[in-house]
Amino acid sequence: MTLPRWLLRFGFHLLYNQLAFVYDLAAWLVSFGQWAAWRRIATLFIRDGPILDMAHGTGGLAADLTAHGLAPVGLDLSPAMGRLASRRLRRQGMPVRLVRGRAQRLPFPKDAFGNVVVTFPADFILDPETLESVTRVLRPGGRLIIVALGYLQGSRFLRRLVTWAYRVTGQRDISEPDAIVRLTEAGFSACWQDATLEGASARLLVATRL
């Protein structure tokens, strides 16, 4: 049984806005310290070309990508997340390339990016408007890379706990086949992949714009 959708939306709204300052701590706690390693797995699938870090959150992935010599542009709707991400990047001496905007109306020109990366997104990512917007800004052959979930390393109890949390919060409301159908209808060739980096494993949805 999942929590009521209105309650979930309210809780996520608080976490991404008024309570954004506890986001990294919450992510670390629920993943038992593996969150950052999970998100870095996205780097295995990035192709040549500019990168959009969509829903950048506190800027962890933007910092990871910049440390790899890349120059991502981050986008997020939350002003609180924008401030936190900007502070993180400046503290590490990294350039700040952050834009505030909606995934459904990306404020970038057509074919602007070779990669759009999203880590642990809410259900907005498979919204038809979002996929239409991503298709517009991605170059032909460009990739949409979604880190959907992490595989918790540890005891069976911990793995069951995470599975329960996904179910309660509705993070698995959309089936994997349905996700492929939605992306195919939006003009992508897509597949689910498991990958491992730094001893951490995650499940990703990798889609190539046709």
Side-chain angles (χ1 to χ4, degrees):
M1 181 177 181
T2 60
L3 295 174
R5 189 166 295 276
W6 68 266
L7 182 58
L8 285 172
R9 291 188 181 279
F10 179 68
F12 284 130
H13 174 80
L14 290 177
L15 187 60
Y16 297 150
N17 293 278
Q18 291 89 339
L19 298 179
F21 63 94
V22 302
Y23 183 91
D24 283 340
L25 175 61
W28 188 89
L29 289 172
V30 300
S31 67
F32 294 87
Q34 298 174 49
W35 193 271
W38 286 341
R39 73 171 180 245
R40 282 193 288 271
I41 293 174
T43 62
L44 297 175
F45 297 89
I46 289 175
R47 289 183 169 177
D48 290 338
I51 303 167
L52 173 61
D53 175 13
M54 193 163 70
H56 62 63
T58 61
L61 180 61
D64 292 340
L65 294 171
T66 303
H68 277 77
L70 303 172
V73 174
L75 175 135
D76 205 293
L77 181 60
S78 167
M81 288 298 190
R83 290 191 293 271
L84 289 171
S86 177
R87 191 178 307 156
R88 179 198 293 261
L89 294 168
R90 293 184 190 281
R91 187 170 61 244
Q92 297 185 34
M94 296 176 173
V96 178
R97 306 180 187 90
L98 304 177
V99 177
R100 187 182 177 205
R102 292 182 179 275
Q104 295 87 347
R105 294 176 178 81
L106 294 171
F108 305 106
K110 188 177 186 297
D111 299 343
F113 298 99
N115 307 269
V116 174
V117 185
V118 195
T119 57
F120 307 106
D123 55 4
F124 76 87
I125 188 58
L126 293 176
D127 181 276
E129 284 188 285
T130 300
L131 294 180
E132 181 181 358
S133 186
V134 170
T135 302
R136 182 182 63 80
V137 303
L138 259 182
R139 299 170 180 173
R143 274 186 171 172
L144 169 61
I145 304 162
I146 303 170
V147 181
L149 61 95
Y151 293 120
L152 193 64
Q153 305 297 320
S155 70
R156 181 178 299 179
F157 168 76
L158 293 180
R159 293 196 296 271
R160 286 179 175 175
L161 181 62
V162 170
T163 299
W164 172 83
Y166 274 118
R167 184 171 64 250
V168 169
T169 57
Q171 291 292 88
R172 292 181 177 170
D173 280 352
I174 297 175
S175 70
E176 292 193 356
D178 187 34
I180 297 295
V181 169
R182 294 193 188 195
L183 284 161
T184 300
E185 291 175 344
F188 290 89
S189 171
C191 64
W192 287 94
Q193 296 196 42
D194 290 333
T196 300
L197 180 68
E198 302 171 9
S201 299
R203 189 151 181 80
L204 300 90
L205 183 52
V206 182
T208 302
R209 186 194 160 194
L210 299 176

